[in-house]
Structure formats: structure tokens, C-alpha cells
Amino acid sequence: GENVEQHPSTLSVQEGDSAVIKCTYSDSASNYFPWYKQELGKRPQLIIDIRSNVGEKKDQRIAVTLNKTAKHFSLHITETQPEDSAVYFCAAPAGGTSYGKLTFGQGTILTVHP
Amino acid sequence: DAGVTQSPTHLIKTRGQQVTLRCSPKSGHDTVSWYQQALGQGPQFIFQYYEEEERQRGNFPDRFSGHQFPNYSSELNVNALLLGDSALYLCASSLALAGTSSTDTQYFGPGTRLTVL
């Protein structure tokens, strides 16, 4: 099955700095990569996702890059704000199915200091 | 447009008991996936229901079972509860992609916090 590794486990930045979280996956057939943000006691919320037919996708201050050859993808947050503080999870589908059985990374606790 | 809803919000059970958790998918969605999230961990896939049948299953014992109703809502049942079953149980809904075994983006409900004493 799919194995997803996520780094770093914790990330502390100053407001206005950039934050980068990286994930690697094992199943070369995976073709969909979502990122979820989970605040304390809340549900995971999709913040951005990317399909394997593109190498980069951007939505305001958030971007995701994908390198299928190296089997890794990254989340980039620019101009960080205190409200960006949360746990971020990357995910990839297992077994080559596009979007069904998601395997999640271990999570990154992002803290943005005012 | 209602999002994914789950009930109850919190639940306390004792070892050996049985529990049923419920999920209503987002309007227009037909697929429900269940995940278990232990404290400090990422969600782990339990199983997925589509057309009232279990379509995919993760590495969970048979004590975990489910059901999907004609209106696409779903239940997760756990028998013979263990202390280790204490977790946040998340349901995610999505729309099946026609002609494939895949679904579109998954959206999560607020979860049910299960505590086993």
C-alpha cells in the first residue's frame, strides 16, 4: 500500500515569513495529492490539492508543488499569519486509485508567532 | 448547502460495549469514507461505502463494520470496544467518478470523539 512521509513534524515561524512542508509518497501510481489544515478540536479542512498532470498550483498565499519523478510534493505558505497556526496533513491515495483510500502523513504542527 | 454532519459529537463507553456512529454526507455526494484519528496522528482509513456496499477497507479488524443507506448516509459500528479504540472518528463524503473506482475530493465532517473507559 501507499506510504506517506511528512516533514518537519513541527515548524515555528515569525509572522510574515514563509513556511514549507514536504511529503514523499511510495506508490508511483498515485495521481492526486490533497493538503488538509486541522485546527485544534476541528475537522480537517481541504486547503489545496493537485492532480498529477500539473507541477504546481497556487491559491493566494498557498501553493503546492509536485515532483512525480522524485515522488514528493510540498506545501508553501507565504506571508504567514497567526491564523495559519494549525496542524497540516498531506495525503495520497493508496493502491493507484485516484481519490478513494487516502493515506495521510504524520502531520506538521505549524506555529506562527506574531 | 449543508456540509458533512456527524452524530453524536462525543461519546463515552466502557470496554466490551458496542457503539454506532452516524454520518450524513454533503448534499450531492454519494460516497462515504470513515477514518480513525488517534491523538497526535493523521487520520487512518477504515473503509469506504458506495451504492450501499463496502468498496474499500483499511487494516481494521472485523469488529469495525458499517452500513450505507439509500439516502447515502452511513453508520460505523464498533463491537467489543477496547481502550485503544478511543479516538476521533471522522467521516468524509465525496462524489464517485463515473466509470471508475475512484471518487472526487473528500470533505470531512466534524467527527465524533469516542472515549472508551
Side-chain angles (χ1 to χ4, degrees), chain A residues 32 34 36 38 41-46 49 51 89 94 96-107, chain B residues 4 33 35 37 40-43 45 48 56-58 88 90 97 101-110:
Chain A
Y32 170 67
Y36 288 88
Q38 188 174 29
K42 302 284 184 65
R43 74 186 77 193
Q45 287 196 299
L46 181 76
D49 56 15
R51 271 67 170 175
F89 292 99
T97 54
S98 296
Y99 313 129
K101 177 181 174 181
L102 291 176
T103 297
F104 283 79
Q106 299 88 337
Chain B
V4 183
S33 302
Y35 292 82
Q37 186 176 26
Q41 304 290 320
F45 180 84
Q48 182 184 87
Q56 295 188 79
R57 189 177 183 93
L88 180 67
L90 295 161
L97 298 178
S101 61
S102 304
T103 74
D104 206 339
T105 303
Q106 296 186 29
Y107 295 92
F108 283 90

Side-chain angles (χ1 to χ4, degrees), chain B residues 28-100:
Chain B
H29 285 181
D30 57 9
T31 303
V32 174
S33 302
W34 287 93
Y35 292 82
Q36 180 194 67
Q37 186 176 26
L39 204 60
Q41 304 290 320
Q44 282 198 296
F45 180 84
I46 303 175
F47 42 52
Q48 182 184 87
Y49 276 84
Y50 171 66
E51 290 190 339
E52 301 180 49
E53 291 191 357
E54 182 182 293
R55 186 160 71 169
Q56 295 188 79
R57 189 177 183 93
N59 295 325
F60 280 80
D62 292 345
R63 298 186 297 107
F64 290 77
S65 63
H67 189 78
Q68 186 180 35
F69 299 93
N71 67 352
Y72 307 119
S73 66
S74 177
E75 288 182 350
L76 163 65
N77 301 292
V78 187
N79 295 322
L81 285 166
L82 304 174
L83 295 179
D85 294 332
S86 295
L88 180 67
Y89 288 85
L90 295 161
C91 131
S93 80
S94 53
L95 181 64
L97 298 178
T100 76

